[in-house]
Amino acid sequence: MPRNDMVKSGRLTDIAFYILLSLVKENHGYSIMKTVKQITNGEVEIGPASLYSTLKKLVNEEMIEQVVDQSFNTKTYIITTKGSETLKNEYNRRKRMIQHADQILQGEDGHV
Amino acid sequence: MSEKEYKYIETHGVEVDDNDQKDLDMLSDYARKGWILEEMHVLGYKLVKKEPQNLIYSVDIEENPDEEYFHIFEESGWKYICSSRHLHFFSALEGTTPIYTDEDSLVGKYKMMKDKYLEFTKRMVYFYLLTIMIALFSEVIDWFPTLIGEICLVVGTVSLIALPFTFMPYLSYRKKYKGAIKNRFNVY
């Protein structure tokens, strides 16, 4: 069976990873896209359909929640405790992957 | 005030095969000649004469779009044009970030639509079988009114005509779903 649910496995897709990162501080719609583009120096761009459906998934999984804020007419979100834990686990998992790669790739002549 | 000029063009059938892309390309071609999509009509699109523009078009699937949905598209450079049921049309200038930038979101959407159309198809087949059974019943059992049997036969046959409208989209979404899964794994 293909992995349909990015969250149940405890792993995050790249886009969910970046959206969670940009919601460590409260953030909303278009500003999330801009944040992600900024922190990745333009390497990662998120389209509106991808953003909207991933936000909905993350809300359903209780990884993020809506901030009650009347001053915006757009919905503002922030990461939840569950979201933070998942992000942290995913961060560590990906870091270990890099370390594993380093053992092989950097062992020989010191650079990749 | 000058009269607006309109042109009506036919759709290839957005939810059949890869015709959605054919339609979107066709709309871009028309935009270059100054015919801009204004709204949908029963068999296709209504275009209005304006300045020639280089536009790209996209169609998204969303069952219950809210204000935030259209707002996010608008802010990222995708102008909302019109909707037909769960299909929403947008246009943007060439070079705008595509509406989908990850395969996972597409896999989810296609799966949802594939399952939905399969459910419709199943219901229609069950309904057809039910009408046929009642029709047979009325033939065999003496006390059962034959009129009901005849009505069922007509209604059942008519429902068969509608079957391709759920079965074809099902097949095309299943194909797209499999394609999206394949693409997702190619990434890794």
Side-chain angles (χ1 to χ4, degrees), chain A residues 1-6 12-16 28-31 33 37 45-57 73-77, chain B residues 60 62-69 71-73 75-78 97-102 104-109 111 177 181 184-185 187-188:
Chain A
M1 268 297 287
R3 176 173 54 92
N4 283 325
D5 198 332
M6 60 173 176
L12 295 166
T13 60
D14 290 356
I15 185 175
H28 61 90
Y30 182 58
S31 178
M33 297 184 195
K37 201 175 169 181
E45 283 194 80
I46 300 178
S50 289
L51 176 70
Y52 185 78
S53 57
T54 312
L55 281 176
K56 277 217 298 202
K57 269 191 232 167
N73 57 359
T74 46
K75 288 182 186 167
T76 305
Y77 300 93
Chain B
D60 187 29
E62 186 57 52
E63 298 255 40
N64 303 303
D66 53 13
E67 226 179 287
E68 184 194 22
Y69 175 75
H71 198 76
I72 288 177
F73 276 78
E75 282 193 308
S76 45
W78 286 95
T97 308
I99 64 166
Y100 283 99
T101 48
D102 73 318
D104 288 270
S105 304
L106 270 178
V107 168
K109 284 262 159 91
K111 183 179 183 338
Y177 170 66
I181 285 187
R184 182 173 66 181
F185 282 109
V187 170
Y188 299 126

Side-chain angles (χ1 to χ4, degrees), chain B residues 6-124:
Chain B
Y6 294 107
K7 188 195 275 283
Y8 295 87
I9 55 169
E10 277 178 43
T11 171
H12 296 87
V14 177
E15 296 194 288
V16 178
D17 287 335
D18 293 325
N19 288 357
D20 49 349
Q21 198 49 53
K22 272 191 206 162
D23 273 16
L24 300 173
D25 291 345
M26 175 178 76
L27 289 170
S28 287
D29 287 344
Y30 273 106
R32 265 191 288 277
K33 294 176 212 153
W35 289 101
I36 313 298
L37 174 61
E38 185 163 280
E39 57 187 38
M40 305 279 296
H41 72 94
V42 188
L43 294 171
Y45 308 98
K46 183 183 178 185
L47 313 178
V48 62
K49 184 77 184 155
K50 285 186 184 167
E51 287 292 299
Q53 293 171 50
N54 286 332
L55 291 178
I56 44 174
Y57 286 89
S58 272
V59 58
D60 187 29
I61 307 154
E62 186 57 52
E63 298 255 40
N64 303 303
D66 53 13
E67 226 179 287
E68 184 194 22
Y69 175 75
F70 295 108
H71 198 76
I72 288 177
F73 276 78
E74 202 80 46
E75 282 193 308
S76 45
W78 286 95
K79 185 171 173 279
Y80 171 64
I81 307 164
C82 56
S83 302
S84 162
R85 294 176 299 142
H86 49 260
L87 301 172
H88 313 286
F89 286 81
F90 299 88
S91 72
L93 298 173
E94 273 177 343
T96 308
T97 308
I99 64 166
Y100 283 99
T101 48
D102 73 318
E103 232 33 76
D104 288 270
S105 304
L106 270 178
V107 168
K109 284 262 159 91
Y110 290 152
K111 183 179 183 338
M112 188 186 74
M113 295 313 291
K114 164 182 88 81
D115 292 348
K116 187 177 142 182
Y117 276 111
L118 181 63
E119 192 53 41
F120 283 157
T121 307
K122 275 188 192 164
R123 278 188 212 166
M124 288 177 87

